[in-house]
């Protein structure tokens, strides 16, 4: 009968150790899994190589045309005068003075017949 008691005690110790070992293993596995999950989340949600913030470039800016010479320029760089946009202060003044753009004097023609040599 004493052998049976020892066997029962040994079985109890064995089961206790085994359950404790299994719990420790589960803890380790859970910790490893949580670590992997956190790493995956950091890769997916964080600033990964595929996460490209889209900056506001000048090309995406609203473009307006100069009311005097019809030159297109970003709205932030245009000069606004009473619902009109101008590329420069001079054109705003010329437009206000009523000077048409076609008669504006050009200092140099792009295709002059005479070719001065310098
Ligand atoms: Zn202009």
């Amino acid at each position: 009968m004493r052998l049976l008691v020892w066997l029962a005690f040994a079985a109890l110790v064995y089961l206790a150790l085994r359950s404790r070992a299994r719990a420790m293993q589960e803890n380790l596995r859970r910790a490893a899994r949580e670590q992997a999950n956190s790493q995956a989340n950091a890769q997916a949600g964080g600033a990964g190589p595929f996460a490209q913030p889209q900056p506001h470039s000048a090309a995406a800016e609203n473009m307006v045309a100069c009311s005097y010479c019809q030159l297109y320029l970003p709205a932030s760089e245009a000069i606004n005068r009473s619902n009109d946009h101008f590329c420069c202060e001079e054109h705003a003044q010329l437009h206000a003075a009523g000077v048409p753009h076609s008669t504006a004097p050009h200092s140099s023609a792009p295709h002059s017949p005479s070719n001065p040599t310098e």
Side-chain angles (χ1 to χ4, degrees):
M1 287 298 285
R2 193 178 268 188
L3 184 63
L4 278 178
V5 172
W6 275 112
L7 275 176
F9 180 71
L12 278 175
V13 169
Y14 173 72
L15 285 176
L17 285 176
R18 192 176 168 189
S19 66
R20 188 182 290 180
R22 187 180 293 174
M24 282 179 64
Q25 270 187 351
E26 279 187 6
N27 278 342
L28 284 175
R29 208 173 294 170
R30 194 179 303 160
R33 201 180 303 156
E34 284 176 0
Q35 227 175 18
N37 279 343
S38 65
Q39 281 178 358
N41 286 339
Q43 279 184 354
F50 299 108
Q52 290 181 348
Q54 296 178 347
H56 285 284
S57 60
E61 198 174 349
N62 188 27
M63 300 291 282
V64 295
C66 174
S67 294
Y68 188 70
C69 67
Q70 310 304 319
L71 178 76
Y72 278 90
L73 70 160
S76 63
E77 298 179 14
I79 296 171
N80 299 312
R81 289 285 170 79
S82 62
N83 297 329
D84 283 328
H85 306 283
F86 300 97
C87 63
C88 56
E89 183 70 28
E90 184 183 357
H91 282 185
Q93 290 176 358
L94 286 171
H95 184 77
V99 179
H101 180 238
S102 58
T103 61
H106 278 279
S107 58
S108 63
H111 293 290
S112 59
S114 64
N115 202 1
T117 58
E118 291 185 4

